[in-house]
Amino acid sequence: MRAVYEGVLLNDIVKRFHVADVNMLEDVTRFLLRNIGNRTSPAAIAKAMTSRGRKIDPKTVDRYLHGLTEGLLFFQARRYNIRGRELLFSINKYYVADVALRNMLVRTRSSDIGHILENLVYLELRRRGYQVFVGQLGADGEVDFVAIRDGRPEYYQVAATTLSEDVLVRELAPLQKIRDNYPKYLLTLDTVFAESEYSGVQKKNVLNWVLAQVV
């Protein structure tokens, strides 16, 4: 895994994009790995890096992000305005192409399981041939994923568990605000009450959801 990472970073990104500060590129890479599933932007990353004593300008960060996505180490998930049916081009999310890479390069916490699960669902949706976006509901909230194939959207919310009533209500709320009849799913690791239906939202165990598509 390290050989693949270093090969892509040094051969595909550093040489192709003429990166002079390899250490800074690696710092940006680790920042993305720590923040998979979090909305961010070149300006936000530059500010975070500068606050840690690693000064960098947003244009350089943007070039690094372009290299990391072109090198297929990361995928960029753009925001999609669900009500306006249009793409938004700022404050996007990034997902790593292989979660093992994250485990190798950054320390993880048990609280990261939600973001890791979100990353895995993102990769699975892409594997199934969907275009995958982050759903934006204006000021009313966000849906983890809008997956579009053949012009038809599906909506996905991902959580490690929703056995707590408060968490269940919170995770269902964005999906229930979408006023169309396309499929809506809540994916969790729950084995108790794993398969349920809530006013048109299908709750499924994420492992069963993945295995159902395995040929």
Side-chain angles (χ1 to χ4, degrees), residues 7-199:
V8 172
L9 198 76
L10 297 175
N11 294 323
D12 294 350
I13 301 175
V14 171
K15 292 181 180 179
R16 181 179 175 188
F17 291 88
H18 307 290
V19 175
D21 191 341
V22 178
N23 289 332
M24 179 63 82
L25 174 61
E26 290 195 284
D27 285 346
V28 171
T29 300
R30 287 188 172 87
F31 179 92
L32 289 182
L33 290 170
R34 291 189 186 95
N35 289 276
I36 55 172
N38 291 332
R39 290 189 293 177
T40 192
S41 67
I45 295 172
K47 182 177 179 180
M49 301 298 290
T50 300
S51 70
R52 299 173 186 174
R54 299 285 286 149
K55 187 173 179 57
I56 186 173
D57 66 87
K59 288 184 178 179
T60 302
V61 173
D62 188 56
R63 187 160 58 91
Y64 288 176
L65 293 177
H66 183 63
L68 290 168
T69 53
E70 284 289 307
L72 299 181
L73 284 180
F74 291 89
F75 296 105
Q76 181 192 70
R78 288 180 172 171
R79 290 184 301 138
Y80 179 84
N81 185 332
I82 293 172
R83 290 172 179 159
R85 303 293 182 184
E86 61 183 357
L87 279 176
L88 304 173
F89 291 93
S90 63
I91 316 178
N92 302 304
K93 293 186 177 184
Y94 291 85
Y95 296 96
V96 65
D98 192 326
V99 175
L101 182 64
R102 183 178 192 266
N103 296 337
M104 180 185 74
L105 293 174
V106 302
R107 293 182 179 180
T108 60
R109 305 182 303 274
S110 58
S111 60
D112 287 343
I113 186 63
H115 284 157
I116 293 171
L117 188 62
E118 190 177 317
N119 200 130
L120 294 173
V121 169
Y122 174 84
L123 295 176
E124 175 62 18
L125 287 169
R126 284 184 60 98
R127 187 190 70 80
R128 296 183 185 186
Y130 290 93
Q131 291 180 289
V132 188
F133 307 99
V134 177
Q136 187 69 41
L137 282 164
D140 294 331
E142 177 182 285
V143 174
D144 287 333
F145 299 120
V146 179
I148 301 176
R149 186 170 61 187
D150 299 326
R152 296 172 58 84
E154 295 179 4
Y155 306 101
Y156 292 84
Q157 197 76 346
V158 184
T161 178
T162 58
L163 293 182
S164 164
E165 184 67 22
D166 290 344
V167 175
L168 178 62
V169 170
R170 185 186 72 213
E171 296 295 335
L172 287 173
L175 293 170
Q176 293 174 336
K177 290 176 181 176
I178 302 172
R179 303 303 182 188
D180 64 35
N181 295 317
Y182 291 109
K184 302 171 181 69
Y185 300 100
L186 172 60
L187 304 179
T188 77
L189 290 171
D190 292 336
T191 55
V192 179
F193 304 115
E195 311 287 329
S196 306
E197 192 271 336
Y198 301 92
S199 302

